[in-house]
Amino acid sequence: MQYLLLFLTTLASAITLDVTSQSDVKSVASTIAYDMMTVYTGNQSGQVPGLLPGGLNCNPNNVGTYCWWEAGAMFGALINYWQYTGDTTYNQVTSQAIEFQRGADDNFNPANQSRSMGVDDQGFWAFTAMDAVEANFPEAGGNAPSWLSLAQAVYNFQQDLWDTDTCGGGFRWQVFSINAGYNLKNAVSNGGNFQLAARLAYVTGNSSYADWANKVYDWMAQSKLMQQDAQSGILYIWDNTDANNNCTDQTNYVWTYNYGIMLGGAAYMYNYTNGSDVWLNRVNEILNSTYSLFFPAEYGGNIMSELQCESTLVCNEDQKSFKAYLARWMAVTALLVPSTAATIVPKLAASAQGAAGQCDGGSTGRACGLQWYTSTWDGTSGVGQQMSALSIIGSTLNRQSIAPLSQASGATSKSNPDAGSTAAKDPTTEHAPITTGDKAGAAILTIIVVFLVVGGAIWLVI
Ligand SMILES: *[C@@H]1O[C@H](CO)[C@@H](O)[C@H](O)[C@H]1NC(C)=O
Ligand SMILES: *[C@@H]1O[C@H](CO)[C@@H](O)[C@H](O)[C@H]1NC(C)=O
Ligand SMILES: *[C@@H]1O[C@H](CO)[C@@H](O)[C@H](O)[C@H]1NC(C)=O
Ligand SMILES: *[C@@H]1O[C@H](CO)[C@@H](O)[C@H](O)[C@H]1NC(C)=O
Ligand SMILES: *[C@@H]1O[C@H](CO)[C@@H](O)[C@H](O)[C@H]1NC(C)=O
Ligand SMILES: *[C@@H]1O[C@H](CO)[C@@H](O)[C@H](O)[C@H]1NC(C)=O
Ligand SMILES: *[C@@H]1O[C@H](CO)[C@@H](O)[C@H](O)[C@H]1NC(C)=O
């Protein structure tokens, strides 16, 4: 079986990969990162550092345009890339991008983006800052705030957004009430804040962050966002719930990145607590459900797949990047929770092999598609596909020596627990009143959500 897989891969793909060879993995990762970065022009004169094409006014349904959050995630993937390969090619450009997008309050809420700022969007840039902290990525220097303080500023800013007026708690998706989607409390915003708090606890050892991580997790676990199916035992982490109905129902969509976010956060908490049984059980529960949902038996059980949209080729540009994050956080989990490595490592290896086999399209003959379960290129290419392939292939270089650093184990980025506390909180001081265009946007979103609920219900019946 393994022989056959390798044979087919060699035959059909322009990128060949032997996952057991470190030098092979590094060189393939370098090619994939290079192709990903051909899309990025933010470091050229007249362009905006830190933005991908379309990043000023994004619509993830337009192929080839990428939202601000995804650019943030991409720079995180490049920090990871540097960490496991030692290749410094993209360090400068990454540092410049983070610096440029940190915003006037140093909390990743830059004026150009704040009008449509999501708690999750900020969260992904904060993850990138944490990647820098945990890898001792060179600080930007000069008067620039430390990587750790940028993440702490996001944490501090989001503290004030915890909403107990509805649903007994939770974060709304959008930071500002004038934005479409403010009614939703979603998994990625709550999970993102949970993971950020867990990583701050892990890195600093400060129990305030851990208390907060527990609080967010507990709220999510009792909400409709997390539900265990009694029969299959699968833990469903649903996309969102509606605060306008006091969170009494949910949208039945599951995404790899939500499982990755919760898994990663639980893994940091497990390690922070020196191995608590409660967190070990949560890690295993999320991991088991991840395997059941996103490593389908029909593809052999070891190839990661975006259940909701991949085989039907309807993933939007956001969704095409989601596997990158699950790959990354599975790899991190294998280090922070050593007992999980035995099941995680073979899945990362097989998925990496599959991803390389899917990198055989486009004008280069090596652009990566998303369907890792076949070596026939799926006809799509872009930043999300490249980032996902980069992340899964890089994850096979995962080893104890690159485990996330904490202050106790050598992380040097300076802590500033009060970072960002002077940031403006009242959106009406910074934001124009809602326009007709925005109202139309809200209506369109409502229609999409209704459609999703119906679609989700059908999917559940199936
Ligand atoms: C932008 O960064 C790329 C690396 O991604 C580099 O090859 C290129 O020379 C840089 N361009 C400028 C103008 O600095
Ligand atoms: C904001 O947008 C303006 C106009 O496009 C641009 O000149 C500026 O560099 C952008 N700033 C950031 C932080 O993206
Ligand atoms: C809304 O939900 C919360 C938490 O589930 C509950 O405590 C509260 O009583 C609910 N409020 C209303 C008005 O139903
Ligand atoms: C721990 O974190 C809390 C919450 O941000 C902060 O108020 C406190 O100052 C921190 N303690 C230390 C010792 O950094
Ligand atoms: C974990 O163990 C270390 C070393 O014994 C100790 O300093 C730390 O307080 C422990 N952490 C927790 C959350 O119990
Ligand atoms: C996860 O799956 C393994 C293997 O099937 C099983 O032994 C374990 O009890 C499961 N753990 C949880 C928390 O569901
Ligand atoms: C925490 O993570 C480190 C680094 O991967 C690992 O060596 C250690 O065993 C982990 N702690 C526990 C309690 O598993």
Side-chain angles (χ1 to χ4, degrees):
M1 190 58 212
Q2 180 70 4
Y3 177 79
L4 183 68
L5 183 72
L6 287 174
F7 176 69
L8 286 176
T9 304
T10 313
L11 202 67
S13 74
I15 286 185
T16 55
L17 171 69
D18 172 3
V19 289
T20 63
S21 156
Q22 298 241 335
S23 61
D24 209 22
V25 172
K26 282 186 192 175
S27 105
V28 166
S30 140
T31 301
I32 291 174
Y34 177 89
D35 288 349
M36 176 172 81
M37 286 302 277
T38 59
V39 177
Y40 180 69
T41 56
N43 64 334
Q44 296 173 6
S45 43
Q47 304 285 316
V48 183
L51 295 187
L52 283 162
L56 271 184
N57 206 351
C58 86
N59 176 354
N61 295 318
N62 291 343
V63 174
T65 69
Y66 306 97
C67 295
W68 180 75
W69 77 271
E70 186 173 345
M74 182 183 82
F75 293 107
L78 289 171
I79 292 172
N80 303 155
Y81 168 79
W82 162 73
Q83 190 188 16
Y84 54 65
T85 62
D87 177 0
T88 58
T89 304
Y90 307 106
N91 284 13
Q92 174 66 36
V93 96
T94 296
S95 214
Q96 181 198 37
I98 301 173
E99 280 305 298
F100 205 81
Q101 293 300 325
R102 66 180 148 94
D105 296 319
D106 297 334
N107 64 357
F108 295 117
N109 191 10
N112 287 346
Q113 302 292 336
S114 63
R115 189 125 172 55
S116 62
M117 184 57 68
V119 168
D120 50 351
D121 302 330
Q122 252 189 328
F124 269 87
W125 281 89
F127 293 156
T128 292
M130 291 307 293
D131 287 335
V133 172
E134 294 164 358
N136 273 347
F137 186 68
E139 295 282 351
N143 292 328
S146 68
W147 304 134
L148 179 53
S149 73
L150 295 177
Q152 287 171 313
V154 172
Y155 174 88
N156 289 337
F157 177 82
Q158 293 188 348
Q159 286 281 295
D160 291 351
L161 303 177
W162 184 255
D163 169 43
T164 51
D165 291 347
T166 59
C167 318
F171 288 100
R172 292 169 176 271
W173 175 21
Q174 294 297 313
V175 169
F176 301 120
S177 60
I178 53 175
N179 287 324
Y182 185 72
N183 58 311
L184 302 177
K185 294 193 174 178
N186 60 348
V188 65
S189 294
N190 285 279
N193 181 276
F194 158 66
Q195 191 191 102
L196 175 60
R199 291 170 78 166
L200 287 170
Y202 171 86
V203 164
T204 65
N206 182 335
S207 61
S208 301
Y209 298 123
D211 293 345
W212 185 263
N214 271 298
K215 172 173 160 158
V216 180
Y217 191 97
D218 290 347
W219 178 80
M220 290 182 77
Q222 62 74 48
S223 80
K224 298 281 185 191
L225 289 176
M226 290 171 78
Q227 297 180 46
Q228 188 156 32
D229 183 82
Q231 215 171 2
S232 64
I234 293 176
L235 176 69
Y236 286 94
I237 304 175
W238 300 119
D239 185 78
N240 68 71
T241 176
D242 191 342
N244 287 351
N245 302 330
N246 201 32
C247 300
T248 49
D249 54 11
Q250 75 285 334
T251 303
N252 298 103
Y253 266 63
V254 287
W255 302 108
T256 50
Y257 80 154
N258 283 329
Y259 283 74
I261 281 182
M262 298 310 291
L263 176 68
Y268 280 100
M269 288 304 288
Y270 168 82
N271 202 283
Y272 163 79
T273 57
N274 295 323
S276 94
D277 286 342
V278 170
W279 286 106
L280 180 62
N281 196 54
R282 288 170 177 171
V283 164
N284 282 324
E285 196 180 17
I286 299 165
L287 200 52
N288 283 1
S289 304
T290 300
Y291 295 160
S292 303
L293 292 169
F294 304 114
F295 290 83
E298 62 179 307
Y299 309 139
N302 281 335
I303 309 268
M304 191 193 296
S305 173
E306 193 65 70
L307 175 72
Q308 236 46 97
C309 61
E310 186 181 289
S311 64
T312 47
L313 290 172
V314 297
C315 300
N316 70 22
E317 293 298 67
D318 285 350
Q319 294 154 2
K320 286 171 189 160
S321 74
F322 287 176
K323 291 196 292 186
Y325 321 123
L326 177 56
R328 170 68 189 170
W329 290 318
M330 281 176 70
V332 170
T333 298
L335 296 173
L336 294 179
V337 190
S339 60
T340 61
T343 58
I344 288 178
V345 169
K347 287 186 162 53
L348 296 179
S351 296
Q353 193 75 66
Q358 182 54 211
C359 296
D360 56 357
S363 54
T364 55
R366 63 178 193 214
C368 304
L370 216 52
Q371 296 177 342
W372 297 346
Y373 51 83
T374 168
S375 57
T376 305
W377 182 51
D378 68 11
T380 72
S381 59
V383 170
Q385 294 91 320
Q386 293 298 125
M387 197 194 328
S388 294
L390 175 64
S391 180
I392 193 76
I393 290 168
S395 76
T396 63
L397 291 172
N398 215 42
R399 55 202 177 274
Q400 197 57 46
S401 60
I402 64 163
L405 295 172
S406 65
Q407 287 174 340
S409 64
T412 53
S413 195
K414 276 211 174 55
S415 174
N416 176 5
D418 300 325
S421 49
T422 57
K425 304 289 186 200
D426 180 2
T428 57
T429 62
E430 310 178 67
H431 295 272
I434 193 159
T435 65
T436 316
D438 294 321
K439 282 183 189 151
I444 289 163
L445 191 99
T446 308
I447 291 162
I448 292 170
V449 167
V450 168
F451 169 76
L452 290 182
V453 171
V454 173
I458 290 167
W459 180 77
L460 258 190
V461 170
I462 293 165

